[in-house]
Amino acid sequence: MGRPPCCDKSNVRKGAWTPEEDAKILAYVSKHGIGNWTLVPKKAGLNRCGKSCRLRWTNYLRPDLKHDNFTPQEEDLIVELHGAIGSRLVVGFLIHSLSFPLSHLCLDSRWSLIAKQLPGRTDNDVKNHWNTKLRKKLQKMGIDPITHKPMNQVVSDFESISCLTSIGNQPMPRLNRTANNSLLTLTNSPPSSLSPMESFCSIDLVMTPTLKQPENNPINDNHLLNVLAHLQVTNYDAPQPHYLSEVSSTSASLSSTSIPSPSFSVKAESGSQNQLSCQPSVVQVTPSSPSNWSDFLLGELSEFNPIKQQDGQDLRGLLSSTSTQFQMQNKMNENQNNGSIVGNHGEASSSTNSFIEIILDLDREMQKAFPEVLNGFSDY
DNA sequence: AAAAGGCTCAACCGCGTACCT
DNA sequence: TAGGTACGCGGTTGAGCCTTT
């Protein structure tokens, strides 16, 4: 049953490609075009896995690729898009999952999305350039490469949310950076010996092992309300032991070898725009201080527009204001004036409710305003 | 001059989803 | 429908090159 294997994995060549092998692929592709990569090694006379051939072609041999250095303009764009896309997928997901109409997201993967905006560059190029150059450049400038905020603001944000998220005697786990910044750890008790600067890491993640989407179930509003409630403060469960793992700091994300992926990706499935596929895994949170939720959210609204992204249009255009953004701002302001948005530590519960209510209110308003457009997105 | 350490980037690995038999 | 691979992705690795001591 099933397909036959594409190649004898134990008997294929690995490692660097020779010019002769490159020439074979180029000759094959120029003659037959790209199609089924599993056939390419046999037909091109290569002792390689089809997957390896595909990678060589897409990352190196494609004639439209640039092989020169990244220009300052390209670097600026990568930083800009990384800031817009990079680490804020989850809140977009939450908004989306609460049926917020403008955010029926199609969250393409980060590097490929950025690479699409840079003609002649691959996702691998962009990823490598980010990891080796741009991330360090930002760090030298005192900017956190994950949140794209000044380091001191990230620290104060984290201090704020740390205060908020202690429940009874159960402190929020803390992400720590070792003295040489080489490792990140997640601990369940405040490391009193560390200064704020030492103890924060990329602050971007709060691991919440209880917040898994039920497998194979469509996203469900009740579940997501629970998620939001968890995120905002209540019922924070202690992390499981395996979360107390060392992780690489190179990407500030948790190592996939020892810990479940922290990403929570959401995609509109091709061919059925109303269906979401959800990879159940640990939720990734960007804990700006609660008082910054509105800023944070407004960013999300302008940044994630799946229709434009699918059309491959310039993502930077998405950063402009929208009427909904103003509505959100107004709603936030109203609630702030009413004292219901958390500005002070310890008002988390009302903040949670307000946050959810704001989203649902806006959702209802948008549904009223554009029923014919939005009805299709209310099913999940 | 050469040893050590750092850096770069092509290639690989593992995962989730799509698709095929 | 089940069981398998293909595909596409992000994360990681390691050989080769470069810089520093």
Side-chain angles (χ1 to χ4, degrees):
Chain A
M1 198 170 273
R3 293 176 179 172
C6 69
C7 60
D8 178 5
K9 305 271 190 225
S10 62
N11 197 30
V12 293
R13 226 179 91 78
K14 287 185 176 184
W17 283 68
T18 64
E20 291 75 22
E21 288 176 312
D22 285 347
K24 284 180 180 176
I25 288 213
L26 283 168
Y28 177 85
V29 171
S30 64
K31 194 172 178 184
H32 301 96
I34 53 172
N36 186 346
W37 281 107
T38 59
L39 299 175
V40 171
K42 285 177 191 168
K43 293 194 173 179
L46 286 162
N47 186 27
R48 292 269 184 176
C49 177
K51 185 175 179 175
S52 183
C53 295
R54 178 175 59 83
L55 218 58
R56 182 64 178 171
W57 170 260
T58 55
N59 285 342
Y60 195 81
L61 295 176
R62 260 168 48 198
D64 59 321
L65 293 182
K66 290 182 195 169
H67 293 288
D68 48 355
N69 292 335
F70 280 79
T71 65
Q73 289 76 23
E74 286 177 313
E75 291 188 336
D76 288 347
L77 185 54
I78 292 170
V79 171
E80 194 175 341
L81 293 175
H82 186 276
I85 301 164
S87 56
R88 296 194 271 173
L89 300 185
V90 167
V91 167
F93 157 72
L94 293 172
I95 298 163
H96 170 84
S97 306
L98 290 165
S99 303
F100 194 82
L102 287 188
S103 55
H104 41 275
L105 308 175
C106 172
L107 299 181
D108 206 341
S109 55
R110 169 173 43 182
W111 298 120
S112 62
L113 203 54
I114 295 173
K116 280 176 192 167
Q117 309 301 316
L118 294 160
R121 305 295 187 186
T122 69
D123 53 351
N124 211 31
D125 286 338
V126 173
K127 183 176 60 181
N128 282 334
H129 195 65
W130 173 264
N131 285 331
T132 58
K133 304 261 179 66
L134 298 179
R135 195 169 48 85
K136 293 171 187 171
K137 203 180 268 187
L138 287 181
Q139 282 172 333
K140 277 185 184 170
M141 292 163 66
I143 297 169
D144 180 70
I146 304 297
T147 60
H148 291 252
K149 291 178 181 178
M151 290 290 193
N152 53 5
Q153 188 189 339
V154 174
V155 173
S156 64
D157 283 356
F158 186 60
E159 290 302 309
S160 301
I161 200 162
S162 292
C163 293
L164 266 174
T165 48
S166 297
I167 298 123
N169 295 327
Q170 181 72 62
M172 190 184 100
R174 296 180 62 120
L175 290 157
N176 307 316
R177 182 171 282 171
T178 57
N180 64 1
N181 282 355
S182 61
L183 296 172
L184 301 179
T185 58
L186 197 94
T187 65
N188 200 30
S189 58
S192 55
S193 60
L194 297 175
S195 71
M197 183 55 95
E198 288 167 330
S199 64
F200 98 97
C201 80
S202 294
I203 304 277
D204 217 18
L205 310 174
V206 176
M207 303 300 292
T208 53
T210 60
L211 301 182
K212 291 183 178 180
Q213 178 71 14
E215 280 189 33
N216 302 323
N217 283 353
I219 290 167
N220 140 331
D221 285 359
N222 287 338
H223 174 74
L224 279 141
L225 289 170
N226 287 337
V227 170
L228 265 181
H230 274 78
L231 297 187
Q232 284 292 308
V233 186
T234 60
N235 298 330
Y236 190 86
D237 279 2
Q240 301 302 312
H242 66 274
Y243 291 105
L244 305 174
S245 305
E246 290 184 350
V247 295
S248 163
S249 65
T250 56
S251 64
S253 66
L254 294 153
S255 163
S256 61
T257 57
S258 56
I259 318 176
S261 163
S263 66
F264 204 128
S265 69
V266 181
K267 289 184 181 180
E269 294 188 359
S270 58
S272 64
Q273 61 176 358
N274 297 341
Q275 281 219 323
L276 285 173
S277 67
C278 178
Q279 299 169 3
S281 61
V282 180
V283 172
Q284 175 181 337
V285 186
T286 302
S288 316
S289 72
S291 59
N292 286 341
W293 269 114
S294 56
D295 292 342
F296 182 72
L297 186 55
L298 292 176
E300 292 302 320
L301 291 173
S302 61
E303 286 157 15
F304 293 109
N305 185 327
I307 296 168
K308 285 190 176 182
Q309 287 183 20
Q310 284 175 324
D311 290 344
Q313 295 181 15
D314 189 347
L315 276 170
R316 286 179 295 182
L318 303 176
L319 302 175
S320 59
S321 298
T322 66
S323 60
T324 305
Q325 185 170 325
F326 289 123
Q327 286 182 43
M328 282 298 289
Q329 183 73 67
N330 291 338
K331 282 279 181 186
M332 290 289 183
N333 290 342
E334 281 172 28
N335 283 284
Q336 274 181 320
N337 292 338
N338 294 338
S340 54
I341 285 286
V342 171
N344 302 313
H345 304 156
E347 295 178 6
S349 194
S350 63
S351 135
T352 303
N353 292 339
S354 299
F355 181 73
I356 296 166
E357 284 163 10
I358 288 164
I359 292 170
L360 293 176
D361 280 352
L362 281 168
D363 190 8
R364 282 189 282 272
E365 287 171 19
M366 293 294 288
Q367 290 276 1
K368 278 185 204 166
F370 307 104
E372 68 286 358
V373 176
L374 300 170
N375 280 344
F377 293 100
S378 59
D379 298 337
Y380 39 84

